[in-house]
């Protein structure tokens, strides 16, 4: 049973909503951030970059305190307002390519600990601790975890009932995305939504594994420090955007390696032939079309690699993943990449433009070889989570990518 609760959101004043919300900090180039900070005084980037106006750099707790101070300033100036009652929120994102609609709510850190909210990726401990300290000092979370659930007609109907009413927000951002937000103000609809989620056996993390883990750490620490802990305090929950599986867009990451581990091109191709059938391609862009097939760009040419049926045992759902096959048959044994997270010889690029980026990076001679594969589908992701397994780093690039500062959850 998943516990999904309404909450009192802090959110932008209606007239400023389109100016306040921002993409995740990592999605901007330095030049884009500088332009936003210079030209848009309302951008949420000013909160998470409080040192900009001071022309100084701070780290750790000092910076987190500055973030909180700037956030409180936004509230005092009326840039943010706070809802007087707890609500569920329906949020719809429309892009030129896709559209999705789901529920913004507070999910339970206890459900994450009990594996009702299931993960499919490993987290890095020092990043968990860092964000836990951020939550403790800043006192709010502005970037939702993306959770998903199986198709549910009742929840779809409740959402449809809400979006036929007047929205709180309708605005379009500079990148062509249109955003709509509704409050679920009908108590019967809200209770039906809570009850329907309670009947769902599991939720799955689509994006935001570190935010989930950090929220769970924060909840544990807060419980220890609160002698009157009841389990209903805000710190027991975290900000989430919950959408159905069909609304997810799952893409992959290409892998690029800076050298061939002292092998010549000819030696490298011979080593690959042990486990792969190799075909040259004259195409300027070669995209895999089936599982266990990889496209490789090497020395100005694309190759198609097809895993041979002999010599590899697909023992469980993890070993069947193409990212694992690439790791076990090429990256580790041939190219000497044993630490996928930290080895500086490997880089990852989300596959937004097919293999254009692979070709560009290898042609620039920054990298020697690049690989692309089909991403896992939602059934594979769920199976990994159900078996308590984890995928290799950068196995999925999942959309929608959410905005910061639209609805803020305070502790």
């Amino acid at each position: 049973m998943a516990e999904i609760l309404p909450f009192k959101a802090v959110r932008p004043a209606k007239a400023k909503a389109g100016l306040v919300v921002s993409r995740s900090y990592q999605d901007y180039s330095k030049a884009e951030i500088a332009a936003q900070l210079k030209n848009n005084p309302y951008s949420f980037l000013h909160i998470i970059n409080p040192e900009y106006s001071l022309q100084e750099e701070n780290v750790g707790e000092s910076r987190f305190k500055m973030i909180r101070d700037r956030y409180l300033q936004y509230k005092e100036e009326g840039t943010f307002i706070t809802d007087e009652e707890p609500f569920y929120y329906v949020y719809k994102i429309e892009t030129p390519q896709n559209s999705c609609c789901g529920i913004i709510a507070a999910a339970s850190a206890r459900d994450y600990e009990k594996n009702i909210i299931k993960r499919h990726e490993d987290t890095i401990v020092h990043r968990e601790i860092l964000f836990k300290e951020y939550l403790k000092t800043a006192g709010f979370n502005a970037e939702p975890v993306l959770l998903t659930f199986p198709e549910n007609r009742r929840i779809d109907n409740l959402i449809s009932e809400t979006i036929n009413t007047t929205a709180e927000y309708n605005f379009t951002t500079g990148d062509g995305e249109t955003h709509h937000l509704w409050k679920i103000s009908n108590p019967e609809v809200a209770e039906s939504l809570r009850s329907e989620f309670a009947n769902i056996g599991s939720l799955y993390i689509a994006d935001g594994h570190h935010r989930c883990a950090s929220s769970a750490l924060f909840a544990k620490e807060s419980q220890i420090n609160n002698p009157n802990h009841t389990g209903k305090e805000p710190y027991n929950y975290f900000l989430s955007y919950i959408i159905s599986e069909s609304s997810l867009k799952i893409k992959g990451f290409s892998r690029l390696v800076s050298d061939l581990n002292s092998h010549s091109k000819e030696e490298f191709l011979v080593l690959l032939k042990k486990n792969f059938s190799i075909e040259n391609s004259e195409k300027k862009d070669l995209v895999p079309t089936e599982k266990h097939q990889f496209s490789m760009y090497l020395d100005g040419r694309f190759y198609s690699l097809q895993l041979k049926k002999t010599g590899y045992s697909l023992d469980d759902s993890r070993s069947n993943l193409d990212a694992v096959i690439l790791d076990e048959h090429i990256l580790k044994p041939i190219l000497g990449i044993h630490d996928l997270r930290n080895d500086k010889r490997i880089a990852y690029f989300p596959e937004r433009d097919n293999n254009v980026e692979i070709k560009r990076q290898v042609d620039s001679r920054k990298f020697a070889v690049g690989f692309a594969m089909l991403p896992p589908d939602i059934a594979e992701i769920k199976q990994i989570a159900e078996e308590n397994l984890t995928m290799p780093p950068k196995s999925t690039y999942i959309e929608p990518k959410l905005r910061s500062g639209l609805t803020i959850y305070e502790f």
Side-chain angles (χ1 to χ4, degrees), residues 31-307:
E32 287 175 325
I33 290 175
Q36 282 283 323
L37 294 175
K38 180 179 179 181
N39 299 318
N40 181 1
Y42 300 108
S43 172
F44 192 78
L45 292 171
H46 283 285
I47 293 178
I48 56 178
N49 293 270
E51 60 270 28
Y52 171 75
S53 61
L54 302 176
Q55 299 297 310
E56 62 182 54
E57 201 167 311
N58 288 276
V59 296
E61 185 177 2
S62 174
R63 183 168 184 270
F64 299 157
K65 286 180 178 178
M66 291 175 65
I67 288 173
R68 177 160 183 78
D69 290 342
R70 180 58 63 88
Y71 169 68
L72 293 176
Q73 180 183 342
Y74 267 48
K75 292 181 70 175
E76 291 171 3
E77 293 171 348
T79 302
F80 284 133
I81 59 174
T82 306
D83 283 325
E84 295 181 358
E85 302 175 45
F87 293 102
Y88 294 107
Y89 302 85
V90 174
Y91 178 36
K92 184 176 183 180
I93 310 170
E94 295 177 299
T95 73
Q97 296 80 28
N98 302 307
S99 174
C100 69
C101 190
I103 302 294
I104 296 178
S108 169
R110 183 167 51 249
D111 283 353
Y112 175 77
E113 293 288 351
K114 292 164 62 178
N115 203 34
I116 294 172
I117 296 176
K118 297 181 182 294
R119 63 180 188 145
H120 65 266
E121 289 183 4
D122 279 329
T123 52
I124 301 171
V125 172
H126 77 83
R127 286 184 59 190
E128 291 181 23
I129 294 172
L130 181 66
F131 192 66
K132 182 262 293 182
E133 292 299 315
Y134 164 83
L135 295 175
K136 182 169 66 175
T137 304
F140 69 89
N141 189 2
E143 188 174 355
V145 172
L146 182 62
L147 300 176
T148 191
F149 61 94
E151 295 302 305
N152 184 297
R153 183 169 295 180
R154 178 62 176 150
I155 291 177
D156 287 345
N157 290 339
L158 292 169
I159 289 174
S160 295
E161 183 176 335
T162 300
I163 64 177
N164 286 326
T165 64
T166 302
E168 290 290 313
Y169 300 138
N170 290 292
F171 61 89
T172 300
T173 49
D175 55 1
E177 289 187 354
T178 301
H179 303 261
H180 315 268
L181 185 81
W182 294 262
K183 292 191 299 187
I184 297 182
S185 53
N186 184 323
E188 293 181 0
V189 173
E191 175 55 28
S192 295
L193 191 66
R194 185 206 63 76
S195 176
E196 200 63 39
F197 275 114
N199 290 329
I200 292 176
S202 298
L203 297 173
Y204 299 87
I205 303 171
D207 193 21
H209 284 77
H210 282 91
R211 275 166 276 152
C212 272
S214 300
S215 297
L217 281 180
F218 176 58
K220 281 183 180 179
E221 183 175 300
S222 299
Q223 176 180 348
I224 292 171
N225 293 330
N226 181 6
N228 299 312
H229 172 81
T230 66
K232 295 299 181 182
E233 295 85 356
Y235 59 70
N236 293 290
Y237 302 88
F238 56 90
L239 182 65
S240 298
Y241 181 48
I242 312 166
I243 63 176
S244 65
E245 295 171 1
S246 62
S247 296
L248 293 178
K249 303 300 177 185
I250 305 172
K251 301 179 181 180
F253 278 88
S254 56
R255 274 91 164 118
L256 291 106
V257 181
S258 60
D259 60 73
L260 298 182
N261 197 27
S262 300
H263 300 299
S264 68
K265 171 186 170 180
E266 292 72 22
E267 291 170 339
F268 179 57
L269 291 172
V270 168
L271 290 169
L272 288 176
K273 288 180 180 179
K274 177 181 178 182
N275 292 301
F276 297 91
S277 300
I278 304 177
E279 291 185 11
N280 293 348
S281 174
E282 298 296 331
K283 295 182 178 179
K284 294 182 179 180
D285 179 29
L286 181 65
V287 180
T289 59
E290 60 185 81
K291 302 297 289 184
H292 309 336
Q293 183 186 76
F294 305 83
S295 64
M296 178 179 73
Y297 189 70
L298 172 70
D299 193 26
R301 181 181 293 273
F302 277 105
Y303 297 82
S304 175
L305 309 182
Q306 183 72 50
L307 181 70

